[in-house]
Amino acid sequence: MKYALAGILLIVAPIGVAAQEATFTTGLATEINPGLFDCGPGTRPSAVGEITSDDGTVWTVPAATNYGTVPFAADLFNECGGDQLGSSAEIDLDSVPLMDAGGSEEFTAYIFADNYFELYVNGTLIAVDEVPFTKFNSNLVRFTADRPVTLAIMMVDWEENLGLGSEDNRGKAFHPGDGGLVAHIQDAKGQTVAITDDTWRAQTFYTSPLNDRSCLVVDGPSRDSSACSQEGVDNATGYSAAHWTVPSDWMMPSFDDSVWPAASTFSNDTVGVKNKKAFTNFEDLFDTPGADADFIWSSNLVLDNLVLLRKTVE
Ligand SMILES: [Ca+2]
Ligand SMILES: [Ca+2]
Ligand SMILES: [Ca+2]
Ligand SMILES: [Ca+2]
């Protein structure tokens, strides 16, 4: 009997590791920070909250970040008191700080993030987004690294209703907003090294708002909320959120991201960037002929709010 039981455990354990079940919270979080950054009137506060799940775990929402602990990424376009370049022709690379990711080859990453990013290169956090919520901004980051280069980006679709992945928008107090990341990484000669596309890996760690927990289907690495409603409503205070623990080594080159799903890709129209100068002023970088970067995210652009993305460049 003992031998038979041991055999069963050996088969079951690896599957159990891959399919980490969600932990759920209900309702609004308690605000612990009224805003990481203030962009002034007409913008949304980048508040942070805490909420305890059914199993007693305390979660930071929309995410625990490293805001303020490392340099901000340089601006392409930042209407919150930063640089507002009219086009890529105005970029002065020599004026952009060169961050050290432990190597000697020089690279530049051009990034438009909805809404907040933290960029790790070969396991080192080298820059974060100064504007966590609105207005929409875009950035560039210069760095040195040795190949293979592991790019690991933490993305947060920020929220106004803390813990419920939503904002007062389009006539609804609880309108679920969307996310999205587009990036183009070049070498020192301006040649494309990587663009965001479906060769990246993506995983969600916070999915909200959920009007019905059973609509979320967790199967192995798949955290599929496509059956969940994305409707804005007047009152979602009884809605739920799903949380998963972020692996402490998720950004390291040694982390095995082959268990994560491939990133999903989204069009400019789906993300809605036509009216955002932070994107349109740099279409030659984000829609480069022959190297047209896609918007990427996990499978649900709207309900997945904390998304980790990875790509290793040889
Ligand atoms: Ca931002
Ligand atoms: Ca958003
Ligand atoms: Ca594009
Ligand atoms: Ca969202």
Side-chain angles (χ1 to χ4, degrees):
M1 282 299 285
K2 278 181 183 174
Y3 289 112
L5 183 60
I8 291 167
L9 287 173
L10 281 172
I11 293 164
V12 170
I15 298 169
V17 170
Q20 189 195 347
E21 292 300 322
T23 297
F24 291 97
T25 56
T26 307
L28 288 165
T30 302
E31 184 180 283
I32 59 169
N33 186 322
L36 297 175
F37 178 78
D38 183 1
C39 185
T43 64
R44 298 180 192 278
S46 45
V48 180
E50 263 183 13
I51 188 166
T52 304
S53 54
D54 300 349
D55 67 358
T57 307
V58 177
W59 302 89
T60 302
V61 289
T65 70
N66 294 289
Y67 193 87
T69 68
V70 296
F72 294 125
D75 296 322
L76 284 173
F77 193 87
N78 175 1
E79 293 177 282
C80 306
D83 297 330
Q84 299 179 39
L85 304 188
S87 75
S88 63
E90 297 179 17
I91 296 169
D92 175 15
L93 277 184
D94 292 336
S95 73
V96 178
L98 190 59
M99 312 308 293
D100 181 7
S104 57
E105 186 177 352
E106 288 186 26
F107 301 91
T108 304
Y110 300 94
I111 298 167
F112 176 98
D114 180 348
N115 296 90
Y116 174 77
F117 74 89
E118 298 191 341
L119 172 62
Y120 294 83
V121 176
N122 287 343
T124 300
L125 178 61
I126 59 168
V128 306
D129 184 353
E130 184 177 10
V131 187
F133 205 168
T134 61
K135 298 180 174 178
F136 287 92
N137 61 320
S138 52
N139 299 90
L140 73 169
V141 182
R142 286 177 74 213
F143 59 92
T144 56
D146 285 337
R147 299 184 192 231
V149 177
T150 296
L151 304 161
I153 302 180
M154 183 181 92
M155 283 298 309
V156 183
D157 177 28
W158 217 272
E159 60 193 18
E160 193 168 50
N161 302 311
L162 295 171
L164 289 173
S166 53
E167 61 206 33
D168 188 347
N169 204 343
R170 305 187 191 189
K172 297 293 181 184
F174 295 81
H175 167 81
D178 64 4
L181 166 74
V182 64
H184 188 163
I185 296 91
Q186 297 180 344
D187 65 15
K189 292 176 180 168
Q191 298 296 307
T192 298
V193 171
I195 53 175
T196 44
D197 60 19
D198 64 5
T199 67
W200 288 58
R201 297 282 177 166
Q203 185 57 288
T204 182
F205 290 85
Y206 169 42
T207 300
S208 177
L210 300 172
N211 68 331
D212 173 5
R213 294 179 180 185
S214 68
C215 64
L216 177 69
V217 179
V218 177
D219 182 11
S222 172
R223 299 170 182 177
D224 179 5
S225 54
S226 60
C228 304
S229 172
Q230 300 181 9
E231 289 286 307
V233 296
D234 294 325
N235 186 349
T237 51
Y239 284 23
S240 295
H243 304 261
W244 294 265
T245 301
V246 173
S248 60
D249 62 343
W250 76 271
M251 77 295 285
M252 301 306 291
S254 58
F255 181 80
D256 180 11
D257 61 23
S258 68
V259 298
W260 286 3
S264 297
T265 62
F266 302 90
S267 70
N268 295 347
D269 284 347
T270 299
V271 178
V273 289
K274 271 184 177 166
N275 61 346
K276 296 180 174 69
K277 287 183 180 176
F279 182 89
T280 57
N281 286 5
F282 312 97
E283 282 174 335
D284 57 327
L285 293 171
F286 299 132
D287 295 335
T288 309
D292 185 355
D294 296 315
F295 274 97
I296 60 171
W297 203 251
S298 53
S299 58
N300 195 322
L301 186 69
V302 173
L303 298 182
D304 293 344
N305 303 313
L306 169 59
V307 173
L308 304 183
L309 299 158
R310 283 176 54 102
K311 165 83 179 177
T312 296
V313 179
E314 297 302 326

